[in-house]
Amino acid sequence: MTVSDGRILVTGGAGFIGSHLAERLLADGADVTIVDDLSNGAADRVPDAAEFVEADLTSIAADALADHLEGVDLVFHLAASKHVDTDRPHGQFEDNTRMTRTVLEAMAEADVTDIAYTSSSTVYGEAPRPTPEDYAPLEPISAYGASKLADEGLLSARTHSHDLTVWNFRFANVVGPRLRGAVIPDFIEKLQDDPETLTILGNGRQEKSYLHVEDCLDAMLHVIERADAAVNTYNLGTRTTTSVDRIAAIVADEMGLEPDFEYTGGDRGWTGDVPKMRLSIEKLAALGWEPTRSSDEAVRRATREILAEYDDR
Ligand code: NAD
């Protein structure tokens, strides 16, 4: 399908990736509506040219959401809770799957059949690397990963009952301007507080693939315009990885600092963290797309971009 002249609804469009996506779609000539509850997004990230609906997708009725889907050609469903609520052990799973159910019910009411979904490398759990799309069994180790896998299942099932076309993107770690609550901004903030010492979660040897948000958007649009199976599942990442120690070194270097590194210990940053991740991107390559930046280059560029945002405050 062609997205550039379409009507597109972006859930989570006030967030990190969603706001970049909305800007890109508008620049390409699309009409864009954003639905976001601003729980982790910001109203000032919503482009002026986009229509904005402030709504909580865990509680909005499907028919109310369907009103905003009239005439829409494609839904980009990005809204998701990325944060663990310790008071609600299954809260993240319930919230994310409820949102997806509501989006699917609303699409059915409005006769919208095309949806792009932002899944995650976390569906694979601790899998051999590089991990291809057809790796099995899928055994996520976090409620977040479980919610992404459950959503993929809902979308797949729906293609058979409602003739949907689904583009299912399993992202590596995406970085760039506006990223917050992740390792790069976390290290920047810690070093701004204490330039002498940086505390690193785990042992620093966690090693993952980082993809710049511009490459992430290019890859999604490339796939949507070329892949037309009922369910199109693609990993989006880089061929290389960056260790947490390396990220710390890049951030310190960009800030002109030489801090001591201290470690909280253990081989992962937190319970449910997959310490090593690298996705196979051969399927994406076969469709003619390669990332323009390596993982290290993506991390360095994002560090510069985020530092510039902190300087502007
Ligand atoms: P983000 O938190 O910046 O964006 C998500 C947006 O969804 C936020 O603006 C938030 O306010 C909104 N949202 C959350 N709950 C909502 C609700 N109940 N109703 C309406 N809106 C709600 O996250 P992001 O990094 O931009 O991620 C976008 C998508 O990509 C998510 O689905 C995420 O799981 C997925 N993803 C991201 C990464 C990454 O590295 N950033 C990796 C893998 C997958």
Side-chain angles (χ1 to χ4, degrees):
M1 90 161 271
T2 311
V3 292
S4 52
D5 54 1
R7 283 183 56 80
I8 310 213
L9 184 131
V10 182
T11 74
F16 161 49
I17 300 170
S19 60
H20 287 287
L21 173 65
E23 284 172 4
R24 169 73 185 267
L25 294 170
L26 287 163
D28 286 353
D31 281 335
V32 176
T33 300
I34 287 174
V35 180
D36 198 299
D37 69 349
L38 303 181
S39 57
N40 200 38
D44 62 9
R45 291 173 172 177
V46 174
D48 290 341
E51 188 186 326
F52 179 50
V53 180
E54 185 174 343
D56 180 349
L57 288 165
T58 63
S59 56
I60 190 173
D63 54 357
L65 183 60
D67 290 345
H68 302 287
L69 281 163
E70 295 302 331
V72 162
D73 300 299
L74 171 67
V75 173
F76 268 98
H77 178 35
L78 279 73
S81 162
K82 297 196 301 182
H83 298 289
V84 178
D85 178 352
T86 45
D87 294 335
R88 290 173 66 217
H90 300 111
Q92 198 181 27
F93 182 88
E94 284 164 9
D95 288 351
N96 289 348
T97 52
R98 179 177 296 275
M99 282 190 237
T100 302
R101 262 171 41 204
T102 300
V103 167
L104 287 171
E105 283 164 24
M107 284 174 64
E109 278 193 46
D111 284 329
V112 177
T113 56
D114 289 3
I115 179 166
Y117 177 68
T118 52
S119 186
S120 157
S121 64
T122 57
V123 298
Y124 295 113
E126 295 185 270
R129 301 170 301 283
T131 317
E133 288 85 350
D134 57 3
Y135 173 79
L138 296 177
E139 294 174 347
I141 62 165
S142 63
Y144 172 77
S147 74
K148 290 288 168 188
L149 183 54
D151 279 350
E152 288 191 14
L154 281 175
L155 288 159
S156 170
R158 202 78 175 185
T159 59
H160 295 280
S161 58
H162 288 73
D163 269 342
L164 293 194
T165 303
V166 174
W167 291 273
N168 178 38
F169 297 110
R170 294 176 178 162
F171 291 172
N173 286 354
V174 184
V175 295
R178 303 176 195 153
L179 177 65
R180 296 293 180 271
V183 61
I184 298 173
D186 181 40
F187 284 172
I188 292 173
E189 286 167 26
K190 281 178 173 169
L191 286 171
Q192 284 174 334
D193 282 349
D194 179 359
E196 308 287 326
T197 311
L198 179 63
T199 302
I200 294 175
L201 299 181
N203 58 14
R205 294 198 290 274
Q206 306 95 299
E207 182 136 356
K208 309 185 195 189
S209 166
Y210 294 82
L211 176 71
H212 194 273
V213 66
E214 284 171 8
D215 275 346
C216 174
L217 302 184
D218 279 347
M220 283 199 287
L221 297 176
H222 185 94
V223 171
I224 290 170
E225 290 183 354
R226 287 166 182 81
D228 60 1
V231 181
N232 306 278
T233 296
Y234 282 79
N235 288 338
L236 264 58
T238 46
R239 294 183 184 279
T240 53
T241 55
T242 309
S243 70
V244 173
D245 272 342
R246 177 91 187 117
I247 297 174
I250 290 172
V251 171
D253 181 47
E254 289 296 328
M255 294 176 79
L257 301 172
E258 291 183 0
D260 294 328
F261 295 163
E262 284 180 354
Y263 299 94
T264 59
D267 63 359
R268 64 189 76 225
W270 54 88
T271 303
D273 179 28
V274 176
K276 307 238 186 242
M277 177 270 286
R278 180 161 65 96
L279 302 177
S280 162
I281 56 167
E282 294 310 326
K283 194 173 170 188
L284 195 53
L287 216 54
W289 192 87
E290 285 286 336
T292 62
R293 296 181 186 88
S294 68
S295 182
D296 277 13
E297 286 166 352
V299 167
R300 189 171 288 276
R301 177 165 169 150
T303 301
R304 286 185 189 158
E305 290 164 337
I306 296 165
L307 277 169
E309 291 171 343
Y310 282 75
D311 285 348
D312 287 346
R313 284 195 306 194

